[in-house]
mmCIF file of all heavy atoms in Angstrom:
data_model
loop_
_atom_site.group_PDB
_atom_site.id
_atom_site.type_symbol
_atom_site.label_atom_id
_atom_site.label_comp_id
_atom_site.label_asym_id
_atom_site.label_seq_id
_atom_site.Cartn_x
_atom_site.Cartn_y
_atom_site.Cartn_z
ATOM 1 N N GLY A 1 0.810 -1.212 0.000
ATOM 2 C CA GLY A 1 0.000 0.000 0.000
ATOM 3 C C GLY A 1 0.843 1.262 0.000
ATOM 4 O O GLY A 1 2.029 1.237 0.349
ATOM 5 N N SER A 2 0.227 2.360 -0.367
ATOM 6 C CA SER A 2 0.926 3.649 -0.446
ATOM 7 C C SER A 2 1.587 4.038 0.876
ATOM 8 O O SER A 2 2.668 4.612 0.898
ATOM 9 C CB SER A 2 -0.050 4.752 -0.852
ATOM 10 O OG SER A 2 -0.520 4.535 -2.160
ATOM 11 N N GLY A 3 0.901 3.731 1.989
ATOM 12 C CA GLY A 3 1.427 4.096 3.295
ATOM 13 C C GLY A 3 2.735 3.389 3.611
ATOM 14 O O GLY A 3 3.539 3.867 4.417
ATOM 15 N N GLU A 4 2.955 2.243 2.966
ATOM 16 C CA GLU A 4 4.172 1.461 3.204
ATOM 17 C C GLU A 4 5.233 1.715 2.143
ATOM 18 O O GLU A 4 6.317 1.153 2.210
ATOM 19 C CB GLU A 4 3.841 -0.047 3.237
ATOM 20 C CG GLU A 4 3.149 -0.502 4.519
ATOM 21 C CD GLU A 4 1.781 0.148 4.701
ATOM 22 O OE1 GLU A 4 0.931 0.062 3.789
ATOM 23 O OE2 GLU A 4 1.569 0.770 5.754
ATOM 24 N N CYS A 5 4.925 2.544 1.141
ATOM 25 C CA CYS A 5 5.857 2.768 0.028
ATOM 26 C C CYS A 5 7.199 3.312 0.513
ATOM 27 O O CYS A 5 8.250 3.007 -0.060
ATOM 28 C CB CYS A 5 5.225 3.725 -0.987
ATOM 29 S SG CYS A 5 6.245 4.086 -2.423
ATOM 30 N N ASN A 6 7.161 4.125 1.573
ATOM 31 C CA ASN A 6 8.422 4.655 2.099
ATOM 32 C C ASN A 6 8.806 4.008 3.432
ATOM 33 O O ASN A 6 9.661 4.507 4.160
ATOM 34 C CB ASN A 6 8.367 6.187 2.223
ATOM 35 C CG ASN A 6 7.244 6.643 3.147
ATOM 36 O OD1 ASN A 6 6.632 5.824 3.835
ATOM 37 N ND2 ASN A 6 6.975 7.939 3.175
ATOM 38 N N ASN A 7 8.167 2.873 3.723
ATOM 39 C CA ASN A 7 8.512 2.099 4.919
ATOM 40 C C ASN A 7 9.605 1.116 4.501
ATOM 41 O O ASN A 7 9.363 -0.073 4.291
ATOM 42 C CB ASN A 7 7.263 1.385 5.444
ATOM 43 C CG ASN A 7 7.521 0.594 6.721
ATOM 44 O OD1 ASN A 7 8.671 0.336 7.084
ATOM 45 N ND2 ASN A 7 6.455 0.193 7.386
ATOM 46 N N TYR A 8 10.813 1.655 4.333
ATOM 47 C CA TYR A 8 11.896 0.871 3.727
ATOM 48 C C TYR A 8 12.276 -0.378 4.525
ATOM 49 O O TYR A 8 12.566 -1.414 3.917
ATOM 50 C CB TYR A 8 13.105 1.769 3.429
ATOM 51 C CG TYR A 8 12.722 2.987 2.602
ATOM 52 C CD1 TYR A 8 12.904 4.273 3.078
ATOM 53 C CD2 TYR A 8 12.123 2.831 1.344
ATOM 54 C CE1 TYR A 8 12.511 5.382 2.324
ATOM 55 C CE2 TYR A 8 11.729 3.933 0.589
ATOM 56 C CZ TYR A 8 11.927 5.204 1.085
ATOM 57 O OH TYR A 8 11.529 6.286 0.342
ATOM 58 N N PRO A 9 12.232 -0.359 5.875
ATOM 59 C CA PRO A 9 12.524 -1.598 6.601
ATOM 60 C C PRO A 9 11.539 -2.727 6.232
ATOM 61 O O PRO A 9 11.940 -3.879 6.050
ATOM 62 C CB PRO A 9 12.378 -1.203 8.071
ATOM 63 C CG PRO A 9 12.589 0.288 8.093
ATOM 64 C CD PRO A 9 12.058 0.790 6.769
ATOM 65 N N LEU A 10 10.249 -2.369 6.109
ATOM 66 C CA LEU A 10 9.250 -3.384 5.743
ATOM 67 C C LEU A 10 9.459 -3.844 4.294
ATOM 68 O O LEU A 10 9.367 -5.049 3.998
ATOM 69 C CB LEU A 10 7.826 -2.838 5.938
ATOM 70 C CG LEU A 10 6.695 -3.828 5.627
ATOM 71 C CD1 LEU A 10 6.793 -5.080 6.504
ATOM 72 C CD2 LEU A 10 5.324 -3.181 5.806
ATOM 73 N N LEU A 11 9.766 -2.907 3.391
ATOM 74 C CA LEU A 11 10.004 -3.279 1.986
ATOM 75 C C LEU A 11 11.191 -4.237 1.887
ATOM 76 O O LEU A 11 11.163 -5.213 1.134
ATOM 77 C CB LEU A 11 10.261 -2.038 1.120
ATOM 78 C CG LEU A 11 9.158 -0.972 1.070
ATOM 79 C CD1 LEU A 11 9.466 0.067 -0.003
ATOM 80 C CD2 LEU A 11 7.786 -1.584 0.845
ATOM 81 N N GLU A 12 12.226 -3.938 2.648
ATOM 82 C CA GLU A 12 13.425 -4.784 2.684
ATOM 83 C C GLU A 12 13.041 -6.201 3.124
ATOM 84 O O GLU A 12 13.472 -7.201 2.544
ATOM 85 C CB GLU A 12 14.418 -4.161 3.683
ATOM 86 C CG GLU A 12 15.816 -4.717 3.640
ATOM 87 C CD GLU A 12 16.642 -4.205 2.474
ATOM 88 O OE1 GLU A 12 16.726 -2.978 2.259
ATOM 89 O OE2 GLU A 12 17.195 -5.066 1.767
ATOM 90 N N HIS A 13 12.208 -6.269 4.150
ATOM 91 C CA HIS A 13 11.749 -7.556 4.685
ATOM 92 C C HIS A 13 10.969 -8.347 3.620
ATOM 93 O O HIS A 13 11.210 -9.537 3.405
ATOM 94 C CB HIS A 13 10.867 -7.302 5.915
ATOM 95 C CG HIS A 13 10.454 -8.550 6.629
ATOM 96 N ND1 HIS A 13 11.322 -9.303 7.398
ATOM 97 C CD2 HIS A 13 9.258 -9.199 6.677
ATOM 98 C CE1 HIS A 13 10.677 -10.354 7.888
ATOM 99 N NE2 HIS A 13 9.421 -10.303 7.464
ATOM 100 N N ILE A 14 10.063 -7.654 2.918
ATOM 101 C CA ILE A 14 9.230 -8.312 1.899
ATOM 102 C C ILE A 14 10.076 -8.705 0.683
ATOM 103 O O ILE A 14 9.873 -9.774 0.093
ATOM 104 C CB ILE A 14 8.058 -7.385 1.499
ATOM 105 C CG1 ILE A 14 7.086 -7.237 2.672
ATOM 106 C CG2 ILE A 14 7.319 -7.935 0.267
ATOM 107 C CD1 ILE A 14 6.055 -6.133 2.500
ATOM 108 N N ALA A 15 11.029 -7.860 0.329
ATOM 109 C CA ALA A 15 11.875 -8.130 -0.847
ATOM 110 C C ALA A 15 12.644 -9.440 -0.687
ATOM 111 O O ALA A 15 12.913 -10.138 -1.669
ATOM 112 C CB ALA A 15 12.837 -6.974 -1.088
ATOM 113 N N GLN A 16 12.978 -9.783 0.548
ATOM 114 C CA GLN A 16 13.740 -11.009 0.800
ATOM 115 C C GLN A 16 12.968 -12.265 0.413
ATOM 116 O O GLN A 16 13.558 -13.322 0.201
ATOM 117 C CB GLN A 16 14.148 -11.086 2.285
ATOM 118 C CG GLN A 16 15.230 -10.080 2.630
ATOM 119 C CD GLN A 16 15.388 -9.876 4.127
ATOM 120 O OE1 GLN A 16 14.887 -10.660 4.930
ATOM 121 N NE2 GLN A 16 16.083 -8.811 4.503
ATOM 122 N N PHE A 17 11.646 -12.151 0.308
ATOM 123 C CA PHE A 17 10.844 -13.322 -0.080
ATOM 124 C C PHE A 17 11.008 -13.649 -1.569
ATOM 125 O O PHE A 17 10.668 -14.741 -2.021
ATOM 126 C CB PHE A 17 9.354 -13.105 0.233
ATOM 127 C CG PHE A 17 9.059 -12.845 1.684
ATOM 128 C CD1 PHE A 17 8.070 -11.941 2.049
ATOM 129 C CD2 PHE A 17 9.756 -13.501 2.697
ATOM 130 C CE1 PHE A 17 7.768 -11.695 3.394
ATOM 131 C CE2 PHE A 17 9.468 -13.262 4.048
ATOM 132 C CZ PHE A 17 8.474 -12.354 4.388
ATOM 133 N N GLY A 18 11.451 -12.660 -2.355
ATOM 134 C CA GLY A 18 11.691 -12.905 -3.778
ATOM 135 C C GLY A 18 10.449 -13.019 -4.647
ATOM 136 O O GLY A 18 10.519 -13.451 -5.792
ATOM 137 N N LYS A 19 9.294 -12.597 -4.122
ATOM 138 C CA LYS A 19 8.040 -12.696 -4.885
ATOM 139 C C LYS A 19 7.786 -11.379 -5.616
ATOM 140 O O LYS A 19 8.201 -10.320 -5.145
ATOM 141 C CB LYS A 19 6.865 -12.976 -3.933
ATOM 142 C CG LYS A 19 7.050 -14.207 -3.032
ATOM 143 C CD LYS A 19 6.390 -15.435 -3.631
ATOM 144 C CE LYS A 19 6.552 -16.660 -2.740
ATOM 145 N NZ LYS A 19 5.651 -16.618 -1.567
ATOM 146 N N PRO A 20 7.040 -11.421 -6.741
ATOM 147 C CA PRO A 20 6.702 -10.165 -7.436
ATOM 148 C C PRO A 20 5.926 -9.224 -6.512
ATOM 149 O O PRO A 20 5.174 -9.682 -5.644
ATOM 150 C CB PRO A 20 5.824 -10.612 -8.604
ATOM 151 C CG PRO A 20 6.024 -12.075 -8.733
ATOM 152 C CD PRO A 20 6.464 -12.592 -7.402
ATOM 153 N N VAL A 21 6.110 -7.935 -6.738
ATOM 154 C CA VAL A 21 5.486 -6.919 -5.889
ATOM 155 C C VAL A 21 4.738 -5.914 -6.763
ATOM 156 O O VAL A 21 5.220 -5.503 -7.818
ATOM 157 C CB VAL A 21 6.577 -6.200 -5.058
ATOM 158 C CG1 VAL A 21 6.065 -4.866 -4.515
ATOM 159 C CG2 VAL A 21 7.062 -7.099 -3.927
ATOM 160 N N ILE A 22 3.539 -5.544 -6.312
ATOM 161 C CA ILE A 22 2.796 -4.435 -6.924
ATOM 162 C C ILE A 22 2.779 -3.335 -5.867
ATOM 163 O O ILE A 22 2.233 -3.528 -4.775
ATOM 164 C CB ILE A 22 1.370 -4.860 -7.317
ATOM 165 C CG1 ILE A 22 1.413 -5.981 -8.361
ATOM 166 C CG2 ILE A 22 0.590 -3.663 -7.862
ATOM 167 C CD1 ILE A 22 0.061 -6.646 -8.625
ATOM 168 N N LEU A 23 3.408 -2.212 -6.190
ATOM 169 C CA LEU A 23 3.639 -1.157 -5.206
ATOM 170 C C LEU A 23 2.794 0.077 -5.505
ATOM 171 O O LEU A 23 2.929 0.693 -6.560
ATOM 172 C CB LEU A 23 5.129 -0.787 -5.229
ATOM 173 C CG LEU A 23 5.602 0.357 -4.330
ATOM 174 C CD1 LEU A 23 5.477 -0.020 -2.851
ATOM 175 C CD2 LEU A 23 7.056 0.726 -4.654
ATOM 176 N N SER A 24 1.925 0.437 -4.571
ATOM 177 C CA SER A 24 1.192 1.700 -4.696
ATOM 178 C C SER A 24 2.083 2.830 -4.206
ATOM 179 O O SER A 24 2.820 2.677 -3.235
ATOM 180 C CB SER A 24 -0.104 1.659 -3.883
ATOM 181 O OG SER A 24 -1.143 1.077 -4.639
#
């Protein structure tokens, strides 16, 4: 979600899963 777009610690955590992401 848009609110998490600049939540870089959370993005880093999700990126580690290696799954495609749709980013608002």
Side-chain angles (χ1 to χ4, degrees):
S2 294
E4 285 64 54
C5 181
N6 59 10
N7 182 345
Y8 307 119
L10 182 59
L11 301 190
E12 193 77 51
H13 186 73
I14 292 168
Q16 288 165 14
F17 301 143
K19 305 264 181 76
V21 162
I22 298 169
L23 177 67
S24 274

